DNA sequence: ATTAATATGTGAAAAATGTCACGACATTTC
DNA sequence: GAAATGTCGTGACATTTTTCACATATTAAT
């Protein structure tokens, strides 16, 4: 587990940095400063330098960062050299959108299996990803450790239990339900209705600069 | 703009509280403690009490909170008495999933218009939401202030400019692009690939309790 | 009534995160 | 090769957020 000294806030930004470095590299750029990067990812340049510094001295004073080197460093830090296989539970509206999206474009992550309760869907595939019945979780999940959860909220806790039993230790939960899991399992909630509602709240209650 | 003293972290949790209070109310529950609420929404009970306290004394010592009263309070705080109309740009895979989802179930928010560049889609509707051509933004957007952005990343900045010109001041951006907008416009980014990647990173690099 | 139990609201402390500003060094220019 | 410029890495400081822990008020029980 090496040093878990890296602040969580930093860890959440790493994939973002990685993606932009990838872009720059593809554009043939050789060097980049924290200031440039800052403008691209909208994170303060001092924060970026601080973030990078947790990993040691990655840059050169007066020069900036070598794109290729930095990219390589993050590639290994983010384990981008090997494919991470992910499963999806609930191939409905939202689930289907994810299945059709290629996370491989920017990340070495692939959804390789889907599960649903609907027999109409079971046996078919979406963009090459096979859909199994949710009762086959134990046989088919194999050693998949990370799961995207897009089932109806009422099913969330029930499915989560099964996932934990099947050895999953990471769940990206899109249902509005706050699921209960043992402490060795990590859940990240993405609550789209809350995000929308809170944006609306901020607009109504927080002052925004009126100048151009 | 009343008191903008409420911390941002608190503001982001308000819609979550609201939804769970709604659930409780529908279940006929009359009172609730910060401890109960904590277990449901997975937020520390002290944090919940602190959050509520920014709005004054909403509870009663030794009793807890009156569900109906609290719900009513948040309903008006979150402007849930009036419908907030939202537009969506880019009726692709992700956009269509949103159009088919009823945010009205838990929030008084409705997507009422969609825009796309694809003439095959223009003129049709998805679950009753009409799709206009993106060139008609200025005529059709009217006084919509909040927009969900689900276009290809390459189009994001371009569309964002137009939205700003059309008077939009809130954008929920699902594209991987970090868009540039004037300071009177608020953008919330939901970067699904980053979320997935960072979950994977946390699993590999952060210790989790191994006990049950 | 008296006591025990409960649960808020908050001062104070701690933890986490973000920003400033500058010394040190590398690069570039002249 | 000297001077000017650019940019990192970081100590110190600022801000935000979370958590502790308890005085205080209310309810519930006997
Ligand atoms: N679509 C959106 O825009 C949106 C927005 C916010 C939240 N959400 C949440 O995301 C989740 C999915 O939303 P959706 O719109 O895709 O719903 P959906 O109804 O289209 O899809 C749900 C899928 O889950 C399957 N399913 C049902 N029970 C199951 C079970 N026990 N095991 C496995 N699969 C099962 C259904 O067959 C269906 O295919 C919901 O919890 C919803 O609240 C969706
Ligand atoms: N689908 C996912 O799971 C997923 C995951 C992560 C990120 N994203 C991001 O979300 C965005 C949308 O993804 P998607 O999968 O729905 O893509 P998509 O290609 O299915 O949909 C994009 C839609 O935008 C429309 N469009 C193109 N140019 C336009 C323009 N100038 N104005 C208006 N509409 C325009 C297209 O006609 C299409 O309907 C992309 O930026 C993608 O990177 C999607």
């Amino acid at each position: 587990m090496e040093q878990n000294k890296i602040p969580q806030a930093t860890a959440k930004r790493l994939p973002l940095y990685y993606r932009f470095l990838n872009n720059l590299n593809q554009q043939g750029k050789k060097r980049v400063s924290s200031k440039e990067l800052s403008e691209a990812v909208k994170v303060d340049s001092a924060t970026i330098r601080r973030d990078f510094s947790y990993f040691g001295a990655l840059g050169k004073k007066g020069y900036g960062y070598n794109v290729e080197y930095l990219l390589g460093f993050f590639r290994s830090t983010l384990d981008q050299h090997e494919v991470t296989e992910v499963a999806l539970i609930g191939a409905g509206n939202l689930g289907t959108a994810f299945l059709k999206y290629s996370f491989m474009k920017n990340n070495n992550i692939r959804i390789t299996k889907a599960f649903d309760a609907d027999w109409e869907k079971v046996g078919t595939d979406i963009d090459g990803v096979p859909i199994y019945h949710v009762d086959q979780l134990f046989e088919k999940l194999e050693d998949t450790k990370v799961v995207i959860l897009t089932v109806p909220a009422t099913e969330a806790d029930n499915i989560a239990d099964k996932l934990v039993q099947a050895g999953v230790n990471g769940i990206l939960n899109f249902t509005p339900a706050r699921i209960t899991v043992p402490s060795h399992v990590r859940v990240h909630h993405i609550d789209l209705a809350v995000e929308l509602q809170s944006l609306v709240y901020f607009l109504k209650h927080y002052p925004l600069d009126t100048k151009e």
Side-chain angles (χ1 to χ4, degrees), chain A residues 127-164:
Chain A
D127 275 23
V129 181
I131 302 180
Y132 304 114
H133 193 273
V134 70
D135 290 343
Q136 297 176 285
L137 262 184
F138 284 83
E139 330 154 29
K140 297 289 187 184
L141 205 52
E142 291 169 353
D143 53 355
T144 306
K145 295 294 176 207
V146 181
V147 162
I148 299 173
L149 192 61
T150 48
V151 296
T154 48
E155 303 292 324
D157 251 310
N158 173 28
I159 301 283
D161 285 350
K162 288 186 190 160
L163 290 173
V164 170

Side-chain angles (χ1 to χ4, degrees), chain A residues 196-208:
Chain A
L196 190 52
Q197 179 87 64
S198 84
L199 174 61
V200 170
Y201 180 82
F202 275 107
L203 291 177
K204 290 219 181 185
H205 296 84
Y206 283 70
L208 286 169

Side-chain angles (χ1 to χ4, degrees), chain A residues 19 94-103 105-106 111:
Chain A
R19 190 170 59 212
L94 201 52
T96 301
F98 294 156
L99 290 173
K100 289 185 178 168
Y101 186 76
S102 171
F103 290 94
K105 263 185 285 181
N106 290 304
I111 303 177

Side-chain angles (χ1 to χ4, degrees), chain A residues 77-204:
Chain A
T77 299
L78 292 172
D79 305 290
Q80 290 289 301
H81 38 81
E82 54 179 357
V83 176
T84 302
E85 299 200 349
V86 168
L88 181 140
I89 324 287
N93 291 317
L94 201 52
T96 301
F98 294 156
L99 290 173
K100 289 185 178 168
Y101 186 76
S102 171
F103 290 94
M104 294 294 279
K105 263 185 285 181
N106 290 304
N107 306 280
N108 217 346
I109 293 179
R110 197 180 344 207
I111 303 177
T112 52
K113 301 166 189 142
F115 296 86
D116 204 291
D118 183 350
W119 285 105
E120 297 266 315
K121 292 176 181 172
V122 172
T124 67
D125 71 286
I126 294 178
D127 275 23
V129 181
I131 302 180
Y132 304 114
H133 193 273
V134 70
D135 290 343
Q136 297 176 285
L137 262 184
F138 284 83
E139 330 154 29
K140 297 289 187 184
L141 205 52
E142 291 169 353
D143 53 355
T144 306
K145 295 294 176 207
V146 181
V147 162
I148 299 173
L149 192 61
T150 48
V151 296
T154 48
E155 303 292 324
D157 251 310
N158 173 28
I159 301 283
D161 285 350
K162 288 186 190 160
L163 290 173
V164 170
Q165 280 171 43
V168 165
N169 58 15
I171 299 176
L172 195 57
N173 177 24
F174 284 89
T175 78
R178 262 21 193 192
I179 59 184
T180 304
V181 295
S183 59
H184 67 276
V185 178
R186 184 160 197 123
V187 180
H188 284 199
H189 294 275
I190 301 184
D191 200 321
L192 300 171
V194 165
E195 298 285 348
L196 190 52
Q197 179 87 64
S198 84
L199 174 61
V200 170
Y201 180 82
F202 275 107
L203 291 177
K204 290 219 181 185

